[in-house]
C-alpha cells in the first residue's frame, strides 16, 4: 500500500443501502417531546441552529464539541454549501405549505357549521368557493384545479388535476383566484415563518441523530477492516470520507432550510402574488 492510498481511503459515491434505510426510518419517526427539549440545550444543536440562523460560531464554541460533533458540524456546513435552491424550488416549498394551510383551515370552518359533511363534499366545496368563478372564466372544468397530488371524488368517479406536478404553471393558476390569493397571502405573512421555525428544530435533530448513526457505522467498519492500520491521519480520513459519502453526497439526506432561505422564499412568493395582482388590474 503506497503512502497516498494509506492517507486517503477511497469510497464509492453512492450511499450504502443501510444508511438509506436508517435515513428513511428517521424521516418517518417522531421524536419524544421531552428528548427534544433536552437536545435544544446540547452544544452541537445550538451551533448547528446558529449556523442555520446565519450566526457564526467562534473557535471556542467549536472546541467544546467532541470529535463526532465537530465532524457532524463540518458535514452540515458542507451540505449547506451545495444546498442552494432555485427560485422555483423556494416558491414550490412555500406554496405547497400554503395550500395545505388554506385547505385545512377551510375544512375546520366547514366542520364547525356542517359537522356531518362528508370529506369528498368538503373537497368539492373548497374548490367551488375558490375556483368556480375562475373555471368559468378559463373555460376549464373545476377538476382542472385539483392539487396534483390529490384526487377529488364526485359521485362514484375520481378526478385528478389538470397539472402533472405542483409546478410554476399550477402555482400561477391558483393565484388567479382572488379569494385563494388572499388566503395564501395571509398564510405567508402571518403563519409561514413560525411554522417553518417550529419544523426546523425537529428536522435538525433528525439530522444530528442520522449523523450519529453514520459515525458509529463508520467506526465499526474501520475496526472491522482497517483496525491494524494505526495511522491516526488515515483513521480520521477514513471516518470523514465515510461520513461524506453517507451525508454530503447522499441526495436523500436533507438539512433544514436556513433562515435566509426561508426569508427568500417568503419574498419570492409575495412577489409572485404581486405579479398576478398586477396582471389582474391591467
Amino acid at each position: 500500500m503506497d503512502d497516498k492510498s494509506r492517507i486517503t481511503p477511497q469510497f464509492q459515491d453512492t450511499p450504502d443501502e443501510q444508511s438509506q434505510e436508517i435515513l428513511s426510518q428517521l424521516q418517518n419517526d417522531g421524536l419524544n417531546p421531552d428528548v427534544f427539549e433536552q437536545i435544544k440545550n446540547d452544544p452541537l444543536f445550538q451551533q448547528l441552529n446558529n449556523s442555520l440562523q446565519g450566526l457564526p460560531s467562534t473557535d471556542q464554541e467549536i472546541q467544546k464539541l467532541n470529535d463526532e460533533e465537530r465532524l457532524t458540524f463540518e458535514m452540515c456546513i458542507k451540505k449547506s454549501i451545495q444546498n442552494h435552491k432555485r427560485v422555483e424550488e423556494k416558491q414550490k416549498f412555500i406554496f405547497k405549505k400554503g395550500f395545505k394551510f388554506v385547505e385545512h383551515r377551510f375544512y375546520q370552518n366547514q366542520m364547525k357549521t356542517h359537522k356531518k359533511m362528508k370529506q369528498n363534499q368538503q373537497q368539492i366545496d373548497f374548490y367551488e368557493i375558490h375556483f368556480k368563478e375562475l373555471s368559468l372564466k378559463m373555460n376549464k372544468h373545476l377538476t382542472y384545479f385539483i392539487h396534483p397530488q390529490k384526487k377529488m371524488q364526485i359521485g362514484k368517479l375520481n378526478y385528478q388535476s389538470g397539472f402533472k406536478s405542483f409546478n410554476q404553471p399550477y402555482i400561477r393558476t391558483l393565484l388567479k383566484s382572488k379569494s385563494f390569493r388572499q388566503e395564501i397571502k395571509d398564510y405567508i405573512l402571518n403563519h409561514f415563518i413560525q411554522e417553518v421555525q417550529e419544523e426546523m428544530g425537529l428536522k435538525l435533530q433528525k439530522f444530528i441523530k442520522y449523523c450519529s448513526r453514520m459515525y458509529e457505522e463508520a467506526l465499526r467498519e474501520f475496526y472491522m477492516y482497517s483496525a491494524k492500520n494505526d495511522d491516526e491521519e488515515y483513521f480520521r480520513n477514513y471516518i470523514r470520507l465515510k461520513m461524506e459519502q453517507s451525508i454530503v453526497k447522499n441526495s436523500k439526506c436533507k438539512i433544514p432550510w436556513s433562515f435566509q432561505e426561508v426569508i427568500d422564499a417568503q419574498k419570492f412568493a409575495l412577489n409572485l402574488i404581486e405579479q398576478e395582482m398586477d396582471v389582474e388590474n391591467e
Side-chain angles (χ1 to χ4, degrees), residues 71 74-75 236-244:
L71 192 52
E74 178 186 331
M75 294 299 109
R236 292 184 179 277
N237 279 329
Y238 186 103
I239 303 301
R240 176 174 284 102
L241 289 174
K242 184 64 179 177
M243 292 283 280
E244 286 182 348

Side-chain angles (χ1 to χ4, degrees), residues 106-107 111 117-126:
F106 177 84
Y107 291 161
M111 289 298 293
M117 182 179 292
K118 294 182 178 180
Q119 184 177 1
N120 64 326
Q121 185 59 51
Q122 287 181 330
Q123 288 181 310
I124 295 171
D125 287 352
F126 173 78

Side-chain angles (χ1 to χ4, degrees), residues 17-33:
E17 292 182 2
Q18 184 175 13
S19 67
Q20 299 286 33
E21 291 176 1
I22 294 171
L23 180 62
S24 177
Q25 179 182 356
L26 291 177
Q27 288 174 335
N28 293 327
D29 290 346
L31 291 172
N32 186 304

Side-chain angles (χ1 to χ4, degrees), residues 95 98-99 101-102 105 126 129-131 133-134 137 171-190 269-282:
F95 282 111
F99 188 102
F101 179 90
V102 174
R105 183 161 63 181
F126 173 78
I129 285 178
H130 288 300
F131 303 108
E133 182 179 342
L134 183 60
K137 183 178 179 180
I171 293 171
R172 286 188 175 275
T173 300
L174 295 179
L175 294 180
K176 294 182 186 300
S177 164
K178 185 176 181 180
S179 61
F180 183 82
R181 193 168 62 229
Q182 291 172 338
E183 288 278 342
I184 206 163
K185 185 175 182 180
D186 172 69
Y187 164 77
I188 294 170
L189 289 173
N190 301 313
L270 291 173
N271 182 60
L272 191 60
I273 290 173
E274 292 298 322
Q275 289 178 24
E276 289 302 323
M277 291 176 64
D278 291 341
V279 170
E280 186 179 274
N281 294 329
E282 287 180 354

Side-chain angles (χ1 to χ4, degrees), residues 8 19 28 34 38 40 49 69 78 81 93-94 101 105 156 165 171 196 200 222 258 262 268:
T8 310
S19 67
N28 293 327
D34 294 333
Q38 293 174 9
K40 285 198 296 186
N49 189 55
E69 292 169 338
K78 287 185 176 181
I81 292 174
F93 172 74
I94 190 170
F101 179 90
R105 183 161 63 181
K156 295 182 179 181
S165 64
I171 293 171
V196 174
M200 189 180 292
F222 176 81
S258 69
V262 172
F268 286 132

Side-chain angles (χ1 to χ4, degrees), residues 98-145:
F99 188 102
K100 182 178 180 180
F101 179 90
V102 174
E103 187 180 43
H104 180 67
R105 183 161 63 181
F106 177 84
Y107 291 161
Q108 283 186 320
N109 290 335
Q110 286 285 86
M111 289 298 293
K112 291 178 182 178
T113 56
H114 304 86
K115 295 183 179 180
K116 295 183 179 181
M117 182 179 292
K118 294 182 178 180
Q119 184 177 1
N120 64 326
Q121 185 59 51
Q122 287 181 330
Q123 288 181 310
I124 295 171
D125 287 352
F126 173 78
Y127 287 102
E128 282 192 339
I129 285 178
H130 288 300
F131 303 108
K132 185 174 183 179
E133 182 179 342
L134 183 60
S135 70
L136 295 173
K137 183 178 179 180
M138 294 178 63
N139 196 26
K140 296 287 187 180
H141 192 275
L142 189 64
T143 55
Y144 179 79
F145 303 91

